[in-house]
Amino acid sequence: MSRRTPTPIRRRLGSIRLSLILLALVPSVTLAAVWAVTTTQMFSEGLRLRAQTELSRSTGAMGTEAALALQRERQLSAAWLASPHGSRAALDAQRRATDAAVAQLTGQADAIKRAPSRIKDPMYSVVASVGSLEYYRDQVDRPTDITAQQALDQYTAIIGRQIQAFQELSQVDDGDLTSQAGPLVALENAAELASQEDAELTLAWPSRHMDDASWEQFMQLVHARRWLVQDQIVPSLQGSMKTQAERILQSPEWASLRDVEDQVLAARAASGGRGVALPDARQRWSTAMNTLADRYAALIRQQTAQLLDRSAATAHGLLVKAGSLSAGGLAALLVCVGMSWRITRSLSRRLRGLRLATLSLAQERLPDVVARLERGEKVDVESATPPLDYGHDELGQVAQAFNTAQRTAVHTAVELAETRRGFQKVILGIARQSQNLVNLQLSKLDALERQHQDPDVLKGLYELDSTASQLRRYEENLVIISGEQPRRSWTEPVALIDIVRSAVGEVAEYQRVEVHTDEDVYLSPPAVADLIHLLAELIDNATAYSPAPSPVQVRAALVAKGLAIEIEDRGLGLSEEDYAQLNAQLAVAPQFDVVALADDLRLGMFVIARLATRHGIAVTLRPSPYGGTTAIVLVPHDIVVREAPGSTEAPDHAPVREPRPARPARTAETAAAADAHREPTRREAAVHTHPAGSAGGLPPLPRRVPQTSLAAELLEEAAPAEAHGVLDEFTAERAASSLAGFQRGTLRARDEGAPAQYDQEEPAAADASEAAPTSTPLADRS
């Protein structure tokens, strides 16, 4: 079966909030861009059309008036050129009218300057051509350089440029207006063609004769005008313009005009190719032409004004439409942005609420539940995990999954706590049972020690007594690990030296321990048992992890912050990281799971930290100048008692099997021999102590013979005999004899009522899983 390849996870944006913002921002920006472009385009079209309308009104209308005036002046100029002896009043009057119309056109220079190039160029051409109009007028009045036809052609050129400019003005951005302007431009062209026909005939009427070139020109004008009217103007006319145009086309004047044109065109065939003889229709032509010219001019002016009005209305409507659509688009944009922002904010708020709920569970509720479980309280899973309600959508489904997860987490924590409490109870039960057996064993050993005087038997009993005392400490370790307290207790303060000696008495290699203290202080009863146990653990580690027979120094002194007890060995020491880690563990009260989950089993550290934090005692580890480790135990002032208790009453519960003090009547030899052979069991009496005086008014404990506990290679070569009467050679026979004497003295002192310092209670059982001191790991050098 092939291995399933996991689907790669695509990269996501920085956060869901950013994704939601982008999700709302992208369409909003897109809509805003579309709205801005559409609004700008519509307003631009409206403003451009309004500008074109204003330009057409200012220049196009003026150009139309100038063109009509020039057409009339051209007709009168042709009449003057044909018959120069007539009256000039009409020509002069028309010239003044033409000048007024041209002045109005040239006055729009600024508007022409702002016009587009396609309009500006023809209009500038018209203005420039008008500037040379005076020269051609002089030639009309006094012909010298040009012919009459050339003079009339100049008028025709100016009018043609004006019609071209008007045609460009009619090409606006609105298609309807452009199509409506087409017939009007065609009408102007038709009127111009008719005016040119009139000019040609006016030149020929006095002689009633037309040369072939003029006739050809006339014929082209006639055919062009007829085609323009029939094929371009009439089919495209609409509305009132069509009505007026049809009225013109159906009028008698139009019929007369067509009839005269036909006669002139037919005269060519009758002339036989020698010029063209014009018919006698001058009056008829002039009357019809003047009438039609006036109607043409009126129709052009009327349709131009209407077209400009429609263009202005269209521009205004376009601007209004642009404004309305812009306002509607802006409103839609604001609604879209508002809804997007509201939805994004709602989703972000719900996600933030879910995140805060998750953090609250991880940082507050679960730790609180765990703390309550550690205190032994009952925790209701439902009340400890209030459900989150975020609806039934996808986010609500995530919240429901989170509700399930937190209920499972709390339920698992409750089950684990119950399992741990059950396991602690099991350990505690086993430890109490073991304690009962150990205490029973100690009682039996004590009874046997009272009964036997054989040195060999006593030696074995003392070794068993020593082992049982250590085993009791290990059983108490299990009780402390289970969260309970050992049952040893005091009712009166206990001297510091007795506490230290009791702690040393629970160590296997007690003979290596040297105690130095001059402090005559006592410790309050609640802390005695725990302090003895704490010091015993530290001293045991010091002896276990320093090479024999190197000494372990125990010093005690009062300092500014309390009572300082230093335990210094001469082992290999630890690294700086190990010291920092161990000191951090000793600074807080550990929990049972620290022992259960540790990579290496540090029961000693666990017990020391529990006992230290219970009474506010500070335990610090640091390197020793000898290369080993120095453990500093700082006992606070509220535990230290400066004055000795008034009476020494036997408490109901005593911690350790302390030695009974020997009576002063014992001989020195007996005391020395007893001291030499009590090492396995009465270790607290054999420790090298240097107190200022005996504690609690008791006689001093017997002192060890110097160097009897050292290795053979460390003994001095010529050690002198001690003043106590110890022989140079210490044999087993003498040791047994001395031990029997010490035993008898001890029993006699007990029977005569020497004050007992300690009494012992039968504590509950504890596990004896660590019966040998070598089972403590190197990390427990505390």
Side-chain angles (χ1 to χ4, degrees), residues 6 49 136 232 303 305 310 340 387 475 523 573 641 664 672 683 694 737:
L49 181 59
Y136 291 101
Q232 298 294 321
Q303 294 303 317
R310 285 194 297 271
S340 300
E475 299 296 338
L523 277 82
V641 179
R683 298 175 306 284
S694 60
S737 177

Side-chain angles (χ1 to χ4, degrees), residues 605-627:
M605 282 295 168
F606 184 91
V607 171
I608 293 170
R610 273 283 181 91
L611 297 176
T613 55
R614 183 182 298 171
H615 300 284
I617 299 173
V619 179
T620 306
L621 304 180
R622 68 180 183 182
S624 169
Y626 301 104

Side-chain angles (χ1 to χ4, degrees), residues 175-383:
D176 292 339
L177 293 176
T178 301
S179 62
Q180 293 175 13
L184 182 60
V185 174
L187 185 61
E188 284 198 9
N189 284 319
E192 169 61 13
L193 293 175
S195 179
Q196 292 181 25
E197 293 178 23
D198 182 60
E200 293 292 337
L201 290 177
T202 300
L203 286 176
W205 284 128
S207 62
R208 295 185 63 184
H209 183 271
M210 181 180 292
D211 58 19
D212 293 335
S214 298
W215 184 87
E216 291 289 343
Q217 179 70 20
F218 180 80
M219 181 189 64
Q220 293 177 3
L221 292 174
V222 171
H223 289 302
R225 182 184 60 80
R226 289 182 178 181
W227 172 83
L228 191 63
V229 171
Q230 296 296 327
D231 296 340
Q232 298 294 321
I233 297 177
V234 173
S236 61
L237 291 177
Q238 293 180 355
S240 60
M241 186 177 182
K242 181 178 181 180
T243 303
Q244 295 181 15
E246 289 177 350
R247 186 180 299 121
I248 292 174
L249 295 177
Q250 296 174 3
S251 63
E253 291 80 5
W254 183 262
S256 298
L257 185 66
R258 289 181 63 85
D259 185 53
V260 172
E261 290 174 347
D262 292 338
Q263 291 180 13
V264 172
L265 294 177
R268 175 72 180 273
S271 62
R274 296 183 302 273
V276 177
L278 297 179
D280 187 12
R282 179 177 183 179
Q283 186 63 33
R284 185 180 175 190
W285 172 267
S286 300
T287 303
M289 190 64 196
N290 291 334
T291 303
L292 290 176
D294 294 338
R295 292 181 179 178
Y296 266 129
L299 181 59
I300 291 173
R301 290 189 182 98
Q302 180 184 2
Q303 294 303 317
T304 300
Q306 291 180 359
L307 182 61
L308 292 175
D309 291 340
R310 285 194 297 271
S311 179
T314 302
H316 179 72
L318 188 59
L319 291 175
V320 172
K321 182 180 179 180
S324 301
L325 292 178
S326 176
L330 180 60
L333 175 62
L334 294 177
V335 171
C336 179
V337 172
M339 291 183 64
S340 300
W341 179 256
R342 183 175 180 180
I343 294 173
T344 302
R345 185 178 179 185
S346 175
L347 290 175
S348 178
R349 183 171 58 251
R350 295 173 68 192
L351 288 173
R352 185 168 59 251
L354 187 59
R355 172 179 173 272
L356 293 177
T358 306
L359 292 177
S360 176
L361 173 66
Q363 299 176 359
E364 297 178 7
R365 282 186 287 168
L366 279 181
D368 180 67
V369 169
V370 172
R372 290 167 57 191
L373 292 174
E374 291 175 353
R375 293 193 298 267
E377 301 179 8
K378 295 294 183 180
V379 175
D380 183 15
V381 177
E382 296 299 329
S383 61

